Amino acid sequence: MKSLVREGTSLVVGLVGIVLLGLGLNQVLDIGSCASGGPYVIARPCPEGHDSLFWLSFVGALMWIAAIIASKRNFVGPGAGQILWTVGFAGGGIALLLKVLNQESMPPDARLGASIVAAVNIPMGLVVGIIGIVQLVRQRRKGHLRRRDAPAPAAPDTWSRMKTLNALRSTGALTRAEFDLLKADLADPAPAIDRVALIRQLADRRTAGELSTAEFENRKRDVLQR
């Protein structure tokens, strides 16, 4: 349960970080190269509030990276770490590529930078995503093979049941008539209800003081009538 909560928290925090990072970078690409301050004449001054875009992207990147590191499974197996890596790199790269292809107003320098980042990020994200899918398929296949190869439940051992029956008779838990009645059950190697085992449990509970003699006899009678 703790592992599930940790993975879920990492996934949510990481996705929020990716969104913040994406919003900040999207605005930065729209601005392109700019400058502000200083004694020189600036050909392209930065718009007001551009500093907040930097901090928005910075905080988003920190949240994303921290969530990947906090994921318990990280890259050992399918989990939040692999999902965040794939979404952050491949998803972000694809978003950049679409922006380059569809937004003609993007400044040339921003277009070049976004194209380079997209060309690098998309393969980085897809490789980890493919590895995660392969790991997930292998895990499910192994689980299926374990279930298929699991041995069938062993049938009750007739000899063990006979020993239990004799022990119940010798301790006085069964009368001679009850012993003979239950002895006939041994002919069935796989009974739907193992009355010998049920009475043995009742006898153990009486010995432990959990049942009185009267309670034991009443419950034993119910078992014998099944």
Side-chain angles (χ1 to χ4, degrees), residues 130-147:
I130 293 172
I131 292 174
I133 293 174
V134 172
Q135 291 175 334
L136 183 61
V137 171
R138 287 181 176 177
Q139 284 183 3
R140 292 190 174 183
R141 185 177 299 172
K142 288 181 181 179
H144 175 72
L145 291 175
R146 283 196 295 266
R147 289 193 298 270

Side-chain angles (χ1 to χ4, degrees), residues 162-226:
M162 186 63 193
K163 289 177 60 178
T164 300
L165 193 59
N166 286 328
L168 291 172
R169 176 72 179 95
S170 63
T171 57
L174 294 175
T175 64
R176 182 66 191 184
E178 292 169 343
F179 175 83
D180 292 338
L181 176 64
L182 291 174
K183 190 175 181 180
D185 289 359
L186 302 181
D188 187 354
I193 299 176
D194 191 351
R195 297 192 293 180
V196 175
L198 292 176
I199 293 177
R200 172 61 182 273
Q201 293 175 4
L202 293 175
D204 290 342
R205 292 182 63 187
R206 183 184 63 172
T207 301
E210 297 179 8
L211 296 177
S212 66
T213 300
E215 290 173 332
F216 168 74
E217 293 296 333
N218 290 333
R219 297 192 183 189
K220 180 180 70 172
R221 188 178 308 110
D222 293 337
V223 172
L224 291 172
Q225 291 174 354
R226 295 184 183 183

Side-chain angles (χ1 to χ4, degrees), residues 6-222:
R6 180 174 178 176
E7 290 294 291
T9 303
S10 299
L11 186 61
V12 172
V13 172
L15 291 176
V16 172
I18 291 173
V19 171
L20 295 178
L21 176 60
L23 291 174
L25 289 179
N26 181 66
Q27 296 298 321
V28 169
L29 291 174
D30 288 340
I31 296 172
S33 60
C34 66
S36 60
Y40 304 102
V41 176
I42 299 173
R44 189 172 186 182
C46 295
E48 293 184 4
H50 69 280
D51 290 340
S52 62
L53 299 178
F54 167 77
W55 289 110
L56 181 66
S57 302
F58 181 73
V59 171
L62 283 182
M63 292 176 63
W64 173 47
I65 295 172
I68 292 176
I69 297 174
S71 173
K72 184 176 181 180
R73 299 186 66 89
N74 216 325
F75 298 109
V76 177
Q82 288 184 342
I83 294 174
L84 292 174
W85 181 282
T86 303
V87 173
F89 280 105
I94 293 172
L96 286 175
L97 185 60
L98 293 176
K99 186 176 181 66
V100 170
L101 295 176
N102 297 321
Q103 186 171 329
E104 298 181 357
S105 61
M106 182 183 296
D109 55 341
R111 182 182 298 273
L112 176 61
S115 300
I116 295 174
V117 172
V120 174
N121 285 6
I122 292 175
M124 287 178 60
L126 290 180
V127 167
V128 173
I130 293 172
I131 292 174
I133 293 174
V134 172
Q135 291 175 334
L136 183 61
V137 171
R138 287 181 176 177
Q139 284 183 3
R140 292 190 174 183
R141 185 177 299 172
K142 288 181 181 179
H144 175 72
L145 291 175
R146 283 196 295 266
R147 289 193 298 270
R148 189 181 66 182
D149 297 338
D157 183 13
T158 302
W159 174 247
S160 296
R161 293 169 66 207
M162 186 63 193
K163 289 177 60 178
T164 300
L165 193 59
N166 286 328
L168 291 172
R169 176 72 179 95
S170 63
T171 57
L174 294 175
T175 64
R176 182 66 191 184
E178 292 169 343
F179 175 83
D180 292 338
L181 176 64
L182 291 174
K183 190 175 181 180
D185 289 359
L186 302 181
D188 187 354
I193 299 176
D194 191 351
R195 297 192 293 180
V196 175
L198 292 176
I199 293 177
R200 172 61 182 273
Q201 293 175 4
L202 293 175
D204 290 342
R205 292 182 63 187
R206 183 184 63 172
T207 301
E210 297 179 8
L211 296 177
S212 66
T213 300
E215 290 173 332
F216 168 74
E217 293 296 333
N218 290 333
R219 297 192 183 189
K220 180 180 70 172
R221 188 178 308 110
D222 293 337

